[in-house]
Amino acid sequence: MDYSIRIGGEAGQGIQTVGDTLSRVFARTGYHVFTHQDYESRIRGGHNFYQIRVADRPLSAARSRLDILVAFDLASMDNDAAFVAEQGRIIYDSAVLKQKFDGPTFRDVPFTALAVEHGGSRIMANTVAIGAVLGLLGMEMDILLRIISDTFQKKGEEVIKANISAAAAGYDFAVKDCGGCSFSMAARAEQKLLIAGIDAIGVGAVASDCKFYAAYPMTPSTGIMNYLAGKAQQYGIVVEQAEDEIAAINMALGASYAGVRAMTASSGGGFALMVEGLSLAAMTETPIVIGLGQRPGPATGFPTRTEQGELQFALYTAHGEFPRIIFAPGDPEQAMNLTNKAFDLSEKYQVPAFVIFDTYLADTQWTHAGLDLDKLVYTDYRLRADALNGLSEYKRHAYTDTGVSPMAVPGESRHVVVTDSDEHDEDGHIVEDAETRKKMVGKRLLKKMPLIQKEIEPPFFYGDAVADIVLVGWGSTYGVIKEAVYELSDRQKIAMLHFSQIFPFPGRDAFDYLALLGNAKKAICIEQNATGQFARLMRAETGFEFAAWINRYDGRPFTVEELVGELHVQIG
Amino acid sequence: MSRLDDYKGQTPAWCPGCGNFSILKTFKDTVVELGLEPHQFTIVSGIGQAAKFPHYLKCNTFNGLHGRTLPVATGIRLANHEMPVFAVAGDGDCYGEGGNHLIHTMRKNPNIKLFVHDNQVYGLTKGQASPTTQEGTVTKNLPFGVFSEQLNPMALAVALDCSFVARSFSGDQDHLKSMVKAAIDHKGFCLVDILQPCVSFNKINTHEWYKQRVYHLEPEYDPTDRVKAFERSLQWGDRIPIGIIYRNSRLSLEERIPIIHDMPLVKQSPDINKLGDLLKEFY
Ligand SMILES: Cc1ncc(C[n+]2csc(CCOP(=O)(O)OP(=O)(O)O)c2C)c(N)n1
Ligand code: SF4
């Protein structure tokens, strides 16, 4: 089984609640789930959808073909109905849409009337719809009932009861109405964890002991701020909404200098303002983790849509030469792990580290069998009171073999901690002489780079070990490329290479990925941008030139069918 | 106890006769008198002549970017609110490039003491107009004179209900010392605007010019009366008041954050045992 369910409607109609609840029911029942959303930059009206794919095998992308469409508005009929499979169903409430639709796919379910009759209020129309979907699918109601009880616990027994009746009404109506339905859900397995990319970044930050987060709201990075604010009390995190992105990064640097792990995040437009601070982090060797949530630009672009247009921006932005670390996770599990690695390496080497994502990864929810927090690392690399008191002398920017100077926490001993955005000596004081400048560049940049490079893992490989066709991607296209390889593997010798640890560019000692590419008949670089930013980086770092590209830059992510379609054009 | 010797820093690169020297000396004398030791506080600064200040004495220092002093200082305070944090800036640095940060830091009210060396000119970049330059002043790059209204930092601060608003003069070391002390004693964000002659570029607001005009606020002046304070803050020209123009007792930002009530953030060590709960909500 492999079903796709789309809930379409206007902003403000609660399609998010319906989608979230259904996907939680599926994940708790033990199915594999993948969800994504499509929404406009407005709070009410317009046309949005929430799409859930549920299956009995691991999923990592959305499909175009729909099995169930819940249509809360007429635009769903115009835009989405065409994707519904012949055996599929479109459920809608003719009283709300003020129109009747004929044909075996259409099912008129009186969401509102049932809500009023069984729940006592029209607000519960969404609950009726949730029940109806479960009824169509022939699933049991027990998990939904538990979720309803948990959700409305604070609102009291009455509300819980009313919602349960509303859900049951929708369920019963659909069961009776769905005589010819062909849906069947396979046996249950163990319940799964369902998490969105943005929350996984948040989990990674909390688990890495991020104690300070400053940011200014901007889609799609705002979710990190919301997540961490929700954890502030329990985990001791100060979350500060700064007056602008310039302030945000400078506050985070102040907190980091003072001795705590700090992070900021924004999208391209906000990050543009942070660029000056990025350079400051580099010169003062202050650790910082920067989340960069890409959305289509330039300028304000498509505020709620997706693109991988800022790799080159993250790579080359800011003045002067300095080392930086760039990770671009492909799924929530990588997002959590790489956020942790960003915190670790940023502090270990005292350099800025990026976690680049995009709207698509931020919003998509994935099921994982579980996430392993035990694999995360935590080492405090700072010199605190005990270590410091033993030193007769301390210099914040002392020359060392590794280029990494001991980083003291100010106020913890009699030693003072001095740093400067100007070129400085080992003590941190302003200098003008050529000799010190040369030594400092050697320390900050040249010595550290090769050490950081050694920490970078090779790209992820999946598919045929002697592949004719190799698909290459980075960041959030991981899932859809993987599914395309899976889909084409019975006809082609095909494989994928996915880069999530992007800079410093991975070495080839552990895995000679260039040999793999060299031996293939065709290597295709797939990116969600117009200019092939990763392909250019790859050529600059390795000399490898792609002969073929697939670039999408309309603000929408690839579905499996769409990518496979593009691949057919390229490989026949 | 600290001694003046403990505060010996680099040799200043300021012009001979610059008002910055007396501010530096007064500051050092004050912290020694207060018994503060160099490692017990942090000075944050940006870029400009004034911003080089922390290099010329010894203490924890974050010398950051032009205009960005206050956000860095805020981050430090929130991470470790047991550490006194001073911010030192020029008028261009703080009222020009950093204007937005100043406004919002006054609103947030972290317990930071900001000392602005207000020479009414850009010193380090050689004499351009600053926000506090008198309207009409001709500079190399403004041959028709400054068109913009002169910024009044005192009135701005009173309007924003800044927690502590004072003015002093580098030529009156006793007064300056009393203002530095009062700021250190005050809980909340303190703006101390220090009139400081720039002997190289400001030919209007000279030492003599100030000497003839500044006067001490009379002892019966009540700095907690905001409307009166606004009136005084507008006084500029023939007579320029120095002293605490306005103060209130708003809660500081740090006091409002429950997470750091009992212990500064920097002392809170991670609790691995709590992490187990982190994934529960995703099932
Ligand atoms: C982002 C940025 N813009 C401009 C400059 C150049 N700059 C250095 S100091 C300065 C003005 C300094 O004036 P002020 O803050 O009044 O300090 P003063 O030198 O008079 O003490 C400027 C514009 C800079 N360093 N960084
Ligand atoms: S330029 Fe002006 S402010 Fe700067 S050091 Fe010289 S006299 Fe002082």
Side-chain angles (χ1 to χ4, degrees), chain A residues 512-552:
Chain A
D512 191 356
Y513 52 86
L514 281 192
L516 180 92
L517 288 170
N519 292 334
K521 292 198 180 107
K522 195 159 195 174
I524 307 174
C525 191
I526 301 166
E527 298 187 57
Q528 188 101 32
N529 58 44
T531 56
Q533 300 194 9
F534 181 80
R536 273 197 277 158
L537 173 65
M538 181 120 176
R539 186 176 65 189
E541 292 288 332
T542 68
F544 182 83
E545 290 250 20
F546 284 96
W549 301 266
I550 293 175
N551 293 83
R552 179 164 195 171

Side-chain angles (χ1 to χ4, degrees), chain A residues 194 211 231 234-235 240-241 243-244 246 251 254 257 276 373 410 413-414 416-417 419-421 429-430, chain B residues 10 37 39 55 60-61 63-65 68 71 75-76 83 100-101 108 265-266 274-275 277 281-282:
Chain A
L194 178 73
K211 299 209 85 59
K231 297 287 170 275
Q234 197 186 350
Y235 293 93
E240 188 64 17
Q241 183 179 326
E243 58 269 27
D244 55 32
I246 299 173
M251 281 181 190
Y257 164 83
E276 184 200 40
L373 292 173
S413 76
R414 298 192 62 80
V416 295
V417 184
T419 193
D420 198 294
S421 71
H429 287 297
I430 297 180
Chain B
Q10 285 189 317
E37 305 210 34
H39 67 280
H55 293 289
N60 295 308
T61 301
N63 183 182
L65 299 172
R68 313 302 172 212
I76 295 174
M83 159 98 70
N100 194 31
H101 307 310
K108 281 178 191 283
L265 208 51
V266 70
K274 272 195 194 164
L275 293 183
D277 293 348
E281 70 183 278
F282 299 106

Side-chain angles (χ1 to χ4, degrees), chain A residues 276, chain B residues 47-50 66 90-93 97 119 121-125:
Chain A
E276 184 200 40
Chain B
I47 298 299
Q49 299 284 25
H66 191 45
D91 43 310
D93 194 30
E97 190 85 80
N119 55 14
V121 74
Y122 282 11
L124 193 58
T125 47

Side-chain angles (χ1 to χ4, degrees), chain A residues 466-484:
Chain A
V466 281
D468 290 336
I469 295 154
V470 182
L471 310 181
V472 178
W474 65 283
S476 73
T477 49
Y478 164 80
V480 73
I481 297 177
K482 199 170 166 195
E483 291 230 9

Side-chain angles (χ1 to χ4, degrees), chain A residues 91 159 424 460 466 547:
Chain A
I91 56 173
V159 178
H424 42 255
F460 169 81
V466 281

